[in-house]
C-alpha cells in the first residue's frame, strides 16, 4: 500500500493542473494560480515521500513526468494562448481593476494568432522525454526545468489579473508574449546547465549561487510583490547563462 502513496500525490499534481487549465480558460486567473501552487507542492512532495518511504520506482518517475506535462507543460501554453487571445480581442478589465469589478474575459476560441503558444507544450513534452533518459541531470539541470517555465507564465498571468503598477496591458502585448514563448521553447531543450535548488548542507561553500539567488528573489518579492515572478525567473536565467553550474557527462 505504501508504494502507492507517492503515486497518489503525483495524481493530485495532475488533478491540480487540469483544474488550473479549466480556470484559465474560464478567466478565473487567481483560482488558477492557487491550483498551480498546489501542483507545485504536490510535485515536490511526491519525490520527497517516495524517498522517505524508500519506494522510488521507474513507474513513479514516468507517472511524475506525465503529470508534469499537464501542470507545467500544458498549463503555461494555455496561459500564453489565453493572454494572446485577450490581447487580440482588444484587452479586458483585469480581475482587480480600480473598481474591483470581475474581469470581462472574451470567450477563448481557436486562433492561429494565439496558436504559437502551444509550442511551449510541445517543447515541454520534448524536455520531459529527454529528462527521463538524461543521466546528467541528477544534481543540476540541463536546460530550463518545466516548473521554471510555468512559473514565468504564471507570473505574467498574475500581472494581467492583478494589474500591479499598471502593467496589465503590457503582458497582453505580442511583443512580450511571442518572444517569451520562443525563448522558453528553446531553453526547455537547450544544453545550457542550470542550477537546481538542492542545498548542499548548511554552509556557504557549494551553495553560493543558490544563496545569492534566494536573496535576490526575496528582494524582488518585497519590492515588486505580485509582479515579481517573471523577474525572479529572469534573474535565475541570467545567473545561469553568465555563470553556469558544472554538470557531469552522461
Amino acid at each position: 500500500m505504501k508504494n502507492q502513496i507517492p503515486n497518489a500525490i503525483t495524481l493530485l499534481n495532475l488533478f491540480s493542473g487540469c483544474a488550473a487549465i479549466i480556470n484559465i480558460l474560464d478567466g478565473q486567473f487567481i483560482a488558477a494560480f492557487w491550483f498551480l501552487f498546489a501542483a507545485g507542492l504536490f510535485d515536490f512532495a511526491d519525490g520527497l515521500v517516495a524517498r522517505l518511504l524508500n519506494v522510488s520506482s521507474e513507474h513513479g518517475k514516468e507517472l511524475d513526468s506525465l503529470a508534469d506535462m499537464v501542470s507545467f507543460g500544458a498549463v503555461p501554453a494555455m496561459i500564453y494562448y489565453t493572454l494572446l487571445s485577450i490581447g487580440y480581442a482588444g484587452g479586458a478589465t483585469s480581475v482587480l481593476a480600480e473598481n474591483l469589478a470581475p474581469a470581462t474575459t472574451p470567450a477563448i476560441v481557436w486562433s492561429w494568432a494565439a496558436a504559437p503558444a502551444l509550442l511551449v507544450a510541445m517543447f515541454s513534452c520534448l524536455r520531459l522525454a529527454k529528462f527521463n533518459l538524461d543521466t546528467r541531470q541528477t544534481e543540476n539541470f540541463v536546460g530550463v526545468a518545466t516548473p521554471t517555465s510555468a512559473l514565468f507564465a504564471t507570473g505574467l498571468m498574475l500581472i494581467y489579473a492583478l494589474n500591479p503598477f499598471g502593467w496589465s496591458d503590457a503582458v497582453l502585448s505580442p511583443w512580450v508574449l511571442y518572444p517569451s514563448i520562443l525563448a522558453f521553447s528553446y531553453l526547455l531543450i537547450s544544453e545550457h546547465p542550470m542550477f537546481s535548488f538542492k542545498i548542499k548542507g548548511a554552509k556557504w561553500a557549494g551553495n553560493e549561487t543558490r544563496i545569492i539567488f534566494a536573496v535576490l528573489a526575496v528582494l524582488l518579492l518585497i519590492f515588486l510583490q505580485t509582479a515579481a515572478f517573471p523577474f525572479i525567473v529572469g534573474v535565475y536565467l541570467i545567473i545561469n547563462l553568465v555563470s553556469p553550474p558544472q554538470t557531469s557527462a552522461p
Side-chain angles (χ1 to χ4, degrees):
M1 176 63 72
K2 73 175 184 178
N3 292 352
Q4 299 305 317
I5 294 176
N7 292 341
I9 297 174
T10 300
L11 292 177
L12 289 174
N13 170 10
L14 176 60
F15 172 89
S16 300
C18 291
I21 290 174
I22 294 170
N23 279 278
I24 289 164
L25 296 177
D26 191 39
Q28 303 299 316
F29 301 118
I30 304 305
F33 166 78
W34 287 112
F35 276 116
L36 281 170
F37 181 79
L41 289 180
F42 291 132
D43 184 49
F44 172 78
D46 60 3
L48 177 63
V49 170
R51 289 189 294 272
L52 290 175
L53 297 178
N54 194 28
V55 292
S56 297
S57 67
E58 289 301 314
H59 176 266
K61 182 179 178 181
E62 297 297 330
L63 187 65
D64 183 68
S65 289
L66 291 171
D68 286 354
M69 177 56 217
V70 174
S71 296
F72 310 125
V75 167
M78 290 301 98
I79 291 174
Y80 288 124
Y81 189 94
T82 300
L83 293 179
L84 282 166
S85 296
I86 294 171
Y88 280 117
T93 306
S94 62
V95 172
L96 292 184
E98 291 183 1
N99 60 0
L100 299 181
T104 304
T105 304
I108 304 303
V109 297
W110 175 252
S111 165
W112 284 107
L118 304 184
L119 287 170
V120 173
M122 296 162 63
F123 282 90
S124 294
C125 186
L126 287 172
R127 175 184 171 72
L128 289 166
K130 175 183 176 182
F131 179 83
N132 285 350
L133 301 174
D134 195 338
T135 59
R136 297 172 295 174
Q137 303 193 58
T138 55
E139 181 177 341
N140 292 306
F141 298 119
V142 177
V144 168
T146 52
T148 302
S149 167
L151 179 61
F152 184 87
T154 302
L156 296 182
M157 179 181 72
L158 278 182
I159 290 174
Y160 168 70
L162 301 177
N163 196 26
F165 311 108
W167 292 350
S168 183
D169 288 341
V171 299
L172 297 179
S173 169
W175 296 101
V176 172
L177 295 171
Y178 287 142
S180 297
I181 291 165
L182 293 175
F184 279 95
S185 295
Y186 164 71
L187 289 170
L188 282 162
I189 61 167
S190 74
E191 289 294 309
H192 291 290
M194 304 278 175
F195 68 84
S196 70
F197 300 99
K198 297 177 181 178
I199 301 295
K200 304 175 182 177
K203 297 181 180 179
W204 167 261
N207 293 311
E208 302 93 335
T209 302
R210 295 173 179 84
I211 293 172
I212 291 171
F213 170 73
V215 170
L216 292 173
V218 169
L219 290 174
L220 286 169
L221 283 169
I222 291 172
F223 289 105
L224 298 179
Q225 299 179 26
T226 55
F229 296 113
F231 296 94
I232 290 173
V233 174
V235 168
Y236 172 77
L237 295 177
I238 290 170
I239 291 174
N240 278 293
L241 295 176
V242 170
S243 180
Q246 297 297 314
T247 57
S248 56

PDB file of all heavy atoms in Angstrom, residues 202-236:
ATOM      1  N   ALA A 202      24.528  23.153   5.130  1.00  0.00           N
ATOM      2  CA  ALA A 202      24.173  24.487   5.627  1.00  0.00           C
ATOM      3  C   ALA A 202      25.326  25.478   5.464  1.00  0.00           C
ATOM      4  O   ALA A 202      25.316  26.545   6.073  1.00  0.00           O
ATOM      5  CB  ALA A 202      23.766  24.393   7.095  1.00  0.00           C
ATOM      6  N   LYS A 203      26.313  25.150   4.648  1.00  0.00           N
ATOM      7  CA  LYS A 203      27.493  26.000   4.504  1.00  0.00           C
ATOM      8  C   LYS A 203      27.370  26.895   3.265  1.00  0.00           C
ATOM      9  O   LYS A 203      26.630  26.598   2.324  1.00  0.00           O
ATOM     10  CB  LYS A 203      28.753  25.142   4.396  1.00  0.00           C
ATOM     11  CG  LYS A 203      29.037  24.313   5.654  1.00  0.00           C
ATOM     12  CD  LYS A 203      30.310  23.503   5.476  1.00  0.00           C
ATOM     13  CE  LYS A 203      30.617  22.677   6.721  1.00  0.00           C
ATOM     14  NZ  LYS A 203      31.854  21.865   6.558  1.00  0.00           N
ATOM     15  N   TRP A 204      28.138  27.985   3.279  1.00  0.00           N
ATOM     16  CA  TRP A 204      28.210  28.889   2.128  1.00  0.00           C
ATOM     17  C   TRP A 204      28.870  28.200   0.948  1.00  0.00           C
ATOM     18  O   TRP A 204      28.389  28.290  -0.186  1.00  0.00           O
ATOM     19  CB  TRP A 204      28.975  30.152   2.521  1.00  0.00           C
ATOM     20  CG  TRP A 204      29.380  31.020   1.366  1.00  0.00           C
ATOM     21  CD1 TRP A 204      30.600  31.063   0.763  1.00  0.00           C
ATOM     22  CD2 TRP A 204      28.560  31.975   0.675  1.00  0.00           C
ATOM     23  NE1 TRP A 204      30.599  31.978  -0.265  1.00  0.00           N
ATOM     24  CE2 TRP A 204      29.355  32.562  -0.340  1.00  0.00           C
ATOM     25  CE3 TRP A 204      27.231  32.393   0.814  1.00  0.00           C
ATOM     26  CZ2 TRP A 204      28.873  33.540  -1.197  1.00  0.00           C
ATOM     27  CZ3 TRP A 204      26.751  33.361  -0.043  1.00  0.00           C
ATOM     28  CH2 TRP A 204      27.567  33.927  -1.043  1.00  0.00           C
ATOM     29  N   ALA A 205      29.975  27.487   1.219  1.00  0.00           N
ATOM     30  CA  ALA A 205      30.721  26.805   0.164  1.00  0.00           C
ATOM     31  C   ALA A 205      29.841  25.763  -0.528  1.00  0.00           C
ATOM     32  O   ALA A 205      29.246  24.898   0.118  1.00  0.00           O
ATOM     33  CB  ALA A 205      31.963  26.130   0.749  1.00  0.00           C
ATOM     34  N   GLY A 206      29.767  25.875  -1.829  1.00  0.00           N
ATOM     35  CA  GLY A 206      28.955  24.955  -2.612  1.00  0.00           C
ATOM     36  C   GLY A 206      27.527  25.413  -2.816  1.00  0.00           C
ATOM     37  O   GLY A 206      26.805  24.875  -3.653  1.00  0.00           O
ATOM     38  N   ASN A 207      27.106  26.397  -2.020  1.00  0.00           N
ATOM     39  CA  ASN A 207      25.744  26.923  -2.123  1.00  0.00           C
ATOM     40  C   ASN A 207      25.719  28.395  -2.503  1.00  0.00           C
ATOM     41  O   ASN A 207      24.663  29.027  -2.440  1.00  0.00           O
ATOM     42  CB  ASN A 207      25.007  26.752  -0.785  1.00  0.00           C
ATOM     43  CG  ASN A 207      24.761  25.301  -0.439  1.00  0.00           C
ATOM     44  OD1 ASN A 207      24.270  24.534  -1.260  1.00  0.00           O
ATOM     45  ND2 ASN A 207      25.113  24.922   0.773  1.00  0.00           N
ATOM     46  N   GLU A 208      26.872  28.943  -2.898  1.00  0.00           N
ATOM     47  CA  GLU A 208      26.962  30.392  -3.131  1.00  0.00           C
ATOM     48  C   GLU A 208      25.899  30.884  -4.112  1.00  0.00           C
ATOM     49  O   GLU A 208      25.184  31.858  -3.843  1.00  0.00           O
ATOM     50  CB  GLU A 208      28.355  30.760  -3.665  1.00  0.00           C
ATOM     51  CG  GLU A 208      29.508  30.363  -2.764  1.00  0.00           C
ATOM     52  CD  GLU A 208      30.093  29.005  -3.105  1.00  0.00           C
ATOM     53  OE1 GLU A 208      29.339  28.178  -3.696  1.00  0.00           O
ATOM     54  OE2 GLU A 208      31.268  28.769  -2.811  1.00  0.00           O
ATOM     55  N   THR A 209      25.812  30.229  -5.263  1.00  0.00           N
ATOM     56  CA  THR A 209      24.883  30.686  -6.301  1.00  0.00           C
ATOM     57  C   THR A 209      23.449  30.611  -5.815  1.00  0.00           C
ATOM     58  O   THR A 209      22.648  31.535  -6.043  1.00  0.00           O
ATOM     59  CB  THR A 209      25.050  29.838  -7.570  1.00  0.00           C
ATOM     60  OG1 THR A 209      26.407  29.935  -8.025  1.00  0.00           O
ATOM     61  CG2 THR A 209      24.122  30.324  -8.675  1.00  0.00           C
ATOM     62  N   ARG A 210      23.095  29.529  -5.146  1.00  0.00           N
ATOM     63  CA  ARG A 210      21.726  29.353  -4.667  1.00  0.00           C
ATOM     64  C   ARG A 210      21.375  30.401  -3.614  1.00  0.00           C
ATOM     65  O   ARG A 210      20.251  30.931  -3.612  1.00  0.00           O
ATOM     66  CB  ARG A 210      21.556  27.941  -4.098  1.00  0.00           C
ATOM     67  CG  ARG A 210      21.697  26.847  -5.150  1.00  0.00           C
ATOM     68  CD  ARG A 210      21.687  25.458  -4.507  1.00  0.00           C
ATOM     69  NE  ARG A 210      21.788  24.406  -5.504  1.00  0.00           N
ATOM     70  CZ  ARG A 210      22.933  23.975  -6.027  1.00  0.00           C
ATOM     71  NH1 ARG A 210      24.083  24.521  -5.638  1.00  0.00           N
ATOM     72  NH2 ARG A 210      22.942  23.007  -6.938  1.00  0.00           N
ATOM     73  N   ILE A 211      22.296  30.699  -2.726  1.00  0.00           N
ATOM     74  CA  ILE A 211      22.032  31.673  -1.668  1.00  0.00           C
ATOM     75  C   ILE A 211      21.877  33.070  -2.259  1.00  0.00           C
ATOM     76  O   ILE A 211      20.957  33.817  -1.895  1.00  0.00           O
ATOM     77  CB  ILE A 211      23.154  31.639  -0.606  1.00  0.00           C
ATOM     78  CG1 ILE A 211      23.119  30.306   0.136  1.00  0.00           C
ATOM     79  CG2 ILE A 211      23.002  32.801   0.373  1.00  0.00           C
ATOM     80  CD1 ILE A 211      24.297  30.083   1.061  1.00  0.00           C
ATOM     81  N   ILE A 212      22.773  33.434  -3.169  1.00  0.00           N
ATOM     82  CA  ILE A 212      22.676  34.754  -3.818  1.00  0.00           C
ATOM     83  C   ILE A 212      21.352  34.883  -4.553  1.00  0.00           C
ATOM     84  O   ILE A 212      20.656  35.904  -4.453  1.00  0.00           O
ATOM     85  CB  ILE A 212      23.866  34.965  -4.782  1.00  0.00           C
ATOM     86  CG1 ILE A 212      25.164  35.102  -3.986  1.00  0.00           C
ATOM     87  CG2 ILE A 212      23.636  36.202  -5.650  1.00  0.00           C
ATOM     88  CD1 ILE A 212      26.408  35.096  -4.847  1.00  0.00           C
ATOM     89  N   PHE A 213      20.980  33.839  -5.273  1.00  0.00           N
ATOM     90  CA  PHE A 213      19.706  33.875  -5.994  1.00  0.00           C
ATOM     91  C   PHE A 213      18.534  34.001  -5.021  1.00  0.00           C
ATOM     92  O   PHE A 213      17.591  34.776  -5.271  1.00  0.00           O
ATOM     93  CB  PHE A 213      19.529  32.618  -6.841  1.00  0.00           C
ATOM     94  CG  PHE A 213      18.151  32.471  -7.408  1.00  0.00           C
ATOM     95  CD1 PHE A 213      17.726  33.283  -8.441  1.00  0.00           C
ATOM     96  CD2 PHE A 213      17.265  31.536  -6.894  1.00  0.00           C
ATOM     97  CE1 PHE A 213      16.441  33.174  -8.960  1.00  0.00           C
ATOM     98  CE2 PHE A 213      15.986  31.415  -7.404  1.00  0.00           C
ATOM     99  CZ  PHE A 213      15.568  32.239  -8.440  1.00  0.00           C
ATOM    100  N   ALA A 214      18.574  33.265  -3.907  1.00  0.00           N
ATOM    101  CA  ALA A 214      17.482  33.326  -2.937  1.00  0.00           C
ATOM    102  C   ALA A 214      17.330  34.728  -2.368  1.00  0.00           C
ATOM    103  O   ALA A 214      16.205  35.224  -2.203  1.00  0.00           O
ATOM    104  CB  ALA A 214      17.726  32.318  -1.818  1.00  0.00           C
ATOM    105  N   VAL A 215      18.449  35.382  -2.083  1.00  0.00           N
ATOM    106  CA  VAL A 215      18.403  36.751  -1.552  1.00  0.00           C
ATOM    107  C   VAL A 215      17.788  37.697  -2.580  1.00  0.00           C
ATOM    108  O   VAL A 215      16.923  38.526  -2.258  1.00  0.00           O
ATOM    109  CB  VAL A 215      19.808  37.220  -1.140  1.00  0.00           C
ATOM    110  CG1 VAL A 215      19.803  38.713  -0.809  1.00  0.00           C
ATOM    111  CG2 VAL A 215      20.310  36.416   0.052  1.00  0.00           C
ATOM    112  N   LEU A 216      18.232  37.587  -3.830  1.00  0.00           N
ATOM    113  CA  LEU A 216      17.687  38.442  -4.893  1.00  0.00           C
ATOM    114  C   LEU A 216      16.194  38.181  -5.099  1.00  0.00           C
ATOM    115  O   LEU A 216      15.414  39.120  -5.317  1.00  0.00           O
ATOM    116  CB  LEU A 216      18.448  38.206  -6.197  1.00  0.00           C
ATOM    117  CG  LEU A 216      19.905  38.673  -6.214  1.00  0.00           C
ATOM    118  CD1 LEU A 216      20.588  38.228  -7.506  1.00  0.00           C
ATOM    119  CD2 LEU A 216      19.997  40.181  -6.050  1.00  0.00           C
ATOM    120  N   ALA A 217      15.789  36.915  -5.016  1.00  0.00           N
ATOM    121  CA  ALA A 217      14.377  36.577  -5.189  1.00  0.00           C
ATOM    122  C   ALA A 217      13.527  37.194  -4.082  1.00  0.00           C
ATOM    123  O   ALA A 217      12.443  37.730  -4.343  1.00  0.00           O
ATOM    124  CB  ALA A 217      14.197  35.062  -5.211  1.00  0.00           C
ATOM    125  N   VAL A 218      14.015  37.140  -2.852  1.00  0.00           N
ATOM    126  CA  VAL A 218      13.282  37.736  -1.730  1.00  0.00           C
ATOM    127  C   VAL A 218      13.162  39.247  -1.913  1.00  0.00           C
ATOM    128  O   VAL A 218      12.094  39.836  -1.691  1.00  0.00           O
ATOM    129  CB  VAL A 218      13.965  37.397  -0.394  1.00  0.00           C
ATOM    130  CG1 VAL A 218      13.369  38.220   0.744  1.00  0.00           C
ATOM    131  CG2 VAL A 218      13.829  35.911  -0.093  1.00  0.00           C
ATOM    132  N   LEU A 219      14.244  39.887  -2.346  1.00  0.00           N
ATOM    133  CA  LEU A 219      14.207  41.336  -2.568  1.00  0.00           C
ATOM    134  C   LEU A 219      13.200  41.699  -3.664  1.00  0.00           C
ATOM    135  O   LEU A 219      12.454  42.683  -3.538  1.00  0.00           O
ATOM    136  CB  LEU A 219      15.596  41.847  -2.940  1.00  0.00           C
ATOM    137  CG  LEU A 219      16.635  41.836  -1.813  1.00  0.00           C
ATOM    138  CD1 LEU A 219      18.014  42.226  -2.345  1.00  0.00           C
ATOM    139  CD2 LEU A 219      16.224  42.771  -0.682  1.00  0.00           C
ATOM    140  N   LEU A 220      13.163  40.910  -4.731  1.00  0.00           N
ATOM    141  CA  LEU A 220      12.202  41.161  -5.798  1.00  0.00           C
ATOM    142  C   LEU A 220      10.764  40.993  -5.298  1.00  0.00           C
ATOM    143  O   LEU A 220       9.879  41.777  -5.656  1.00  0.00           O
ATOM    144  CB  LEU A 220      12.463  40.225  -6.976  1.00  0.00           C
ATOM    145  CG  LEU A 220      13.684  40.562  -7.829  1.00  0.00           C
ATOM    146  CD1 LEU A 220      13.998  39.428  -8.792  1.00  0.00           C
ATOM    147  CD2 LEU A 220      13.456  41.862  -8.607  1.00  0.00           C
ATOM    148  N   LEU A 221      10.542  39.991  -4.455  1.00  0.00           N
ATOM    149  CA  LEU A 221       9.215  39.791  -3.886  1.00  0.00           C
ATOM    150  C   LEU A 221       8.810  40.965  -3.001  1.00  0.00           C
ATOM    151  O   LEU A 221       7.650  41.390  -3.001  1.00  0.00           O
ATOM    152  CB  LEU A 221       9.166  38.488  -3.081  1.00  0.00           C
ATOM    153  CG  LEU A 221       9.059  37.194  -3.893  1.00  0.00           C
ATOM    154  CD1 LEU A 221       9.286  35.993  -3.002  1.00  0.00           C
ATOM    155  CD2 LEU A 221       7.691  37.097  -4.574  1.00  0.00           C
ATOM    156  N   ILE A 222       9.763  41.496  -2.258  1.00  0.00           N
ATOM    157  CA  ILE A 222       9.463  42.623  -1.373  1.00  0.00           C
ATOM    158  C   ILE A 222       9.098  43.862  -2.179  1.00  0.00           C
ATOM    159  O   ILE A 222       8.117  44.550  -1.877  1.00  0.00           O
ATOM    160  CB  ILE A 222      10.664  42.907  -0.452  1.00  0.00           C
ATOM    161  CG1 ILE A 222      10.837  41.770   0.561  1.00  0.00           C
ATOM    162  CG2 ILE A 222      10.480  44.240   0.286  1.00  0.00           C
ATOM    163  CD1 ILE A 222      12.109  41.863   1.377  1.00  0.00           C
ATOM    164  N   PHE A 223       9.884  44.150  -3.214  1.00  0.00           N
ATOM    165  CA  PHE A 223       9.698  45.396  -3.951  1.00  0.00           C
ATOM    166  C   PHE A 223       8.637  45.303  -5.049  1.00  0.00           C
ATOM    167  O   PHE A 223       7.930  46.280  -5.320  1.00  0.00           O
ATOM    168  CB  PHE A 223      11.031  45.865  -4.543  1.00  0.00           C
ATOM    169  CG  PHE A 223      11.993  46.372  -3.520  1.00  0.00           C
ATOM    170  CD1 PHE A 223      13.083  45.615  -3.133  1.00  0.00           C
ATOM    171  CD2 PHE A 223      11.798  47.608  -2.911  1.00  0.00           C
ATOM    172  CE1 PHE A 223      13.972  46.074  -2.173  1.00  0.00           C
ATOM    173  CE2 PHE A 223      12.683  48.085  -1.956  1.00  0.00           C
ATOM    174  CZ  PHE A 223      13.776  47.316  -1.575  1.00  0.00           C
ATOM    175  N   LEU A 224       8.515  44.134  -5.689  1.00  0.00           N
ATOM    176  CA  LEU A 224       7.576  44.001  -6.796  1.00  0.00           C
ATOM    177  C   LEU A 224       6.314  43.226  -6.430  1.00  0.00           C
ATOM    178  O   LEU A 224       5.333  43.273  -7.168  1.00  0.00           O
ATOM    179  CB  LEU A 224       8.253  43.320  -7.992  1.00  0.00           C
ATOM    180  CG  LEU A 224       9.436  44.071  -8.609  1.00  0.00           C
ATOM    181  CD1 LEU A 224      10.016  43.271  -9.774  1.00  0.00           C
ATOM    182  CD2 LEU A 224       9.021  45.460  -9.075  1.00  0.00           C
ATOM    183  N   GLN A 225       6.361  42.490  -5.335  1.00  0.00           N
ATOM    184  CA  GLN A 225       5.217  41.740  -4.822  1.00  0.00           C
ATOM    185  C   GLN A 225       4.639  40.816  -5.899  1.00  0.00           C
ATOM    186  O   GLN A 225       5.334  39.973  -6.419  1.00  0.00           O
ATOM    187  CB  GLN A 225       4.186  42.718  -4.252  1.00  0.00           C
ATOM    188  CG  GLN A 225       4.751  43.545  -3.102  1.00  0.00           C
ATOM    189  CD  GLN A 225       3.756  44.532  -2.541  1.00  0.00           C
ATOM    190  OE1 GLN A 225       2.547  44.360  -2.610  1.00  0.00           O
ATOM    191  NE2 GLN A 225       4.275  45.617  -1.963  1.00  0.00           N
ATOM    192  N   THR A 226       3.368  40.980  -6.257  1.00  0.00           N
ATOM    193  CA  THR A 226       2.735  40.029  -7.185  1.00  0.00           C
ATOM    194  C   THR A 226       3.287  40.105  -8.603  1.00  0.00           C
ATOM    195  O   THR A 226       2.999  39.232  -9.426  1.00  0.00           O
ATOM    196  CB  THR A 226       1.212  40.248  -7.234  1.00  0.00           C
ATOM    197  OG1 THR A 226       0.944  41.617  -7.557  1.00  0.00           O
ATOM    198  CG2 THR A 226       0.579  39.916  -5.890  1.00  0.00           C
ATOM    199  N   ALA A 227       4.077  41.130  -8.893  1.00  0.00           N
ATOM    200  CA  ALA A 227       4.684  41.245 -10.223  1.00  0.00           C
ATOM    201  C   ALA A 227       6.067  40.607 -10.277  1.00  0.00           C
ATOM    202  O   ALA A 227       6.732  40.657 -11.309  1.00  0.00           O
ATOM    203  CB  ALA A 227       4.775  42.712 -10.627  1.00  0.00           C
ATOM    204  N   ALA A 228       6.497  39.992  -9.190  1.00  0.00           N
ATOM    205  CA  ALA A 228       7.898  39.584  -9.068  1.00  0.00           C
ATOM    206  C   ALA A 228       8.267  38.333  -9.857  1.00  0.00           C
ATOM    207  O   ALA A 228       9.426  38.180 -10.266  1.00  0.00           O
ATOM    208  CB  ALA A 228       8.249  39.376  -7.593  1.00  0.00           C
ATOM    209  N   PHE A 229       7.334  37.422 -10.075  1.00  0.00           N
ATOM    210  CA  PHE A 229       7.703  36.091 -10.552  1.00  0.00           C
ATOM    211  C   PHE A 229       8.432  36.072 -11.904  1.00  0.00           C
ATOM    212  O   PHE A 229       9.443  35.365 -12.048  1.00  0.00           O
ATOM    213  CB  PHE A 229       6.473  35.183 -10.585  1.00  0.00           C
ATOM    214  CG  PHE A 229       5.901  34.931  -9.215  1.00  0.00           C
ATOM    215  CD1 PHE A 229       4.657  35.422  -8.869  1.00  0.00           C
ATOM    216  CD2 PHE A 229       6.613  34.220  -8.269  1.00  0.00           C
ATOM    217  CE1 PHE A 229       4.127  35.207  -7.611  1.00  0.00           C
ATOM    218  CE2 PHE A 229       6.106  33.992  -7.000  1.00  0.00           C
ATOM    219  CZ  PHE A 229       4.856  34.501  -6.665  1.00  0.00           C
ATOM    220  N   PRO A 230       7.988  36.791 -12.913  1.00  0.00           N
ATOM    221  CA  PRO A 230       8.753  36.768 -14.167  1.00  0.00           C
ATOM    222  C   PRO A 230      10.172  37.317 -13.989  1.00  0.00           C
ATOM    223  O   PRO A 230      11.110  36.834 -14.643  1.00  0.00           O
ATOM    224  CB  PRO A 230       7.927  37.661 -15.109  1.00  0.00           C
ATOM    225  CG  PRO A 230       6.565  37.670 -14.539  1.00  0.00           C
ATOM    226  CD  PRO A 230       6.755  37.588 -13.061  1.00  0.00           C
ATOM    227  N   PHE A 231      10.334  38.296 -13.112  1.00  0.00           N
ATOM    228  CA  PHE A 231      11.652  38.880 -12.889  1.00  0.00           C
ATOM    229  C   PHE A 231      12.551  37.920 -12.103  1.00  0.00           C
ATOM    230  O   PHE A 231      13.761  37.860 -12.338  1.00  0.00           O
ATOM    231  CB  PHE A 231      11.514  40.220 -12.159  1.00  0.00           C
ATOM    232  CG  PHE A 231      10.789  41.253 -12.965  1.00  0.00           C
ATOM    233  CD1 PHE A 231       9.420  41.433 -12.827  1.00  0.00           C
ATOM    234  CD2 PHE A 231      11.464  42.029 -13.896  1.00  0.00           C
ATOM    235  CE1 PHE A 231       8.731  42.368 -13.585  1.00  0.00           C
ATOM    236  CE2 PHE A 231      10.788  42.974 -14.667  1.00  0.00           C
ATOM    237  CZ  PHE A 231       9.427  43.143 -14.506  1.00  0.00           C
ATOM    238  N   ILE A 232      11.954  37.165 -11.189  1.00  0.00           N
ATOM    239  CA  ILE A 232      12.727  36.145 -10.465  1.00  0.00           C
ATOM    240  C   ILE A 232      13.254  35.103 -11.440  1.00  0.00           C
ATOM    241  O   ILE A 232      14.425  34.701 -11.376  1.00  0.00           O
ATOM    242  CB  ILE A 232      11.857  35.498  -9.373  1.00  0.00           C
ATOM    243  CG1 ILE A 232      11.582  36.500  -8.248  1.00  0.00           C
ATOM    244  CG2 ILE A 232      12.528  34.243  -8.820  1.00  0.00           C
ATOM    245  CD1 ILE A 232      10.590  36.008  -7.214  1.00  0.00           C
ATOM    246  N   VAL A 233      12.395  34.660 -12.347  1.00  0.00           N
ATOM    247  CA  VAL A 233      12.842  33.693 -13.362  1.00  0.00           C
ATOM    248  C   VAL A 233      13.911  34.320 -14.249  1.00  0.00           C
ATOM    249  O   VAL A 233      14.902  33.665 -14.606  1.00  0.00           O
ATOM    250  CB  VAL A 233      11.651  33.205 -14.207  1.00  0.00           C
ATOM    251  CG1 VAL A 233      12.132  32.309 -15.348  1.00  0.00           C
ATOM    252  CG2 VAL A 233      10.656  32.448 -13.333  1.00  0.00           C
ATOM    253  N   GLY A 234      13.741  35.596 -14.589  1.00  0.00           N
ATOM    254  CA  GLY A 234      14.744  36.276 -15.404  1.00  0.00           C
ATOM    255  C   GLY A 234      16.096  36.322 -14.726  1.00  0.00           C
ATOM    256  O   GLY A 234      17.136  36.081 -15.364  1.00  0.00           O
ATOM    257  N   VAL A 235      16.116  36.612 -13.417  1.00  0.00           N
ATOM    258  CA  VAL A 235      17.374  36.625 -12.664  1.00  0.00           C
ATOM    259  C   VAL A 235      17.991  35.233 -12.648  1.00  0.00           C
ATOM    260  O   VAL A 235      19.207  35.071 -12.813  1.00  0.00           O
ATOM    261  CB  VAL A 235      17.132  37.133 -11.230  1.00  0.00           C
ATOM    262  CG1 VAL A 235      18.353  36.885 -10.345  1.00  0.00           C
ATOM    263  CG2 VAL A 235      16.789  38.617 -11.243  1.00  0.00           C
ATOM    264  N   TYR A 236      17.161  34.218 -12.456  1.00  0.00           N
ATOM    265  CA  TYR A 236      17.640  32.831 -12.470  1.00  0.00           C
ATOM    266  C   TYR A 236      18.324  32.500 -13.798  1.00  0.00           C
ATOM    267  O   TYR A 236      19.417  31.904 -13.832  1.00  0.00           O
ATOM    268  CB  TYR A 236      16.463  31.895 -12.217  1.00  0.00           C
ATOM    269  CG  TYR A 236      16.764  30.430 -12.381  1.00  0.00           C
ATOM    270  CD1 TYR A 236      17.455  29.723 -11.396  1.00  0.00           C
ATOM    271  CD2 TYR A 236      16.348  29.734 -13.516  1.00  0.00           C
ATOM    272  CE1 TYR A 236      17.720  28.369 -11.545  1.00  0.00           C
ATOM    273  CE2 TYR A 236      16.611  28.387 -13.671  1.00  0.00           C
ATOM    274  CZ  TYR A 236      17.295  27.703 -12.685  1.00  0.00           C
ATOM    275  OH  TYR A 236      17.565  26.367 -12.842  1.00  0.00           O
TER     276      TYR A 236
END
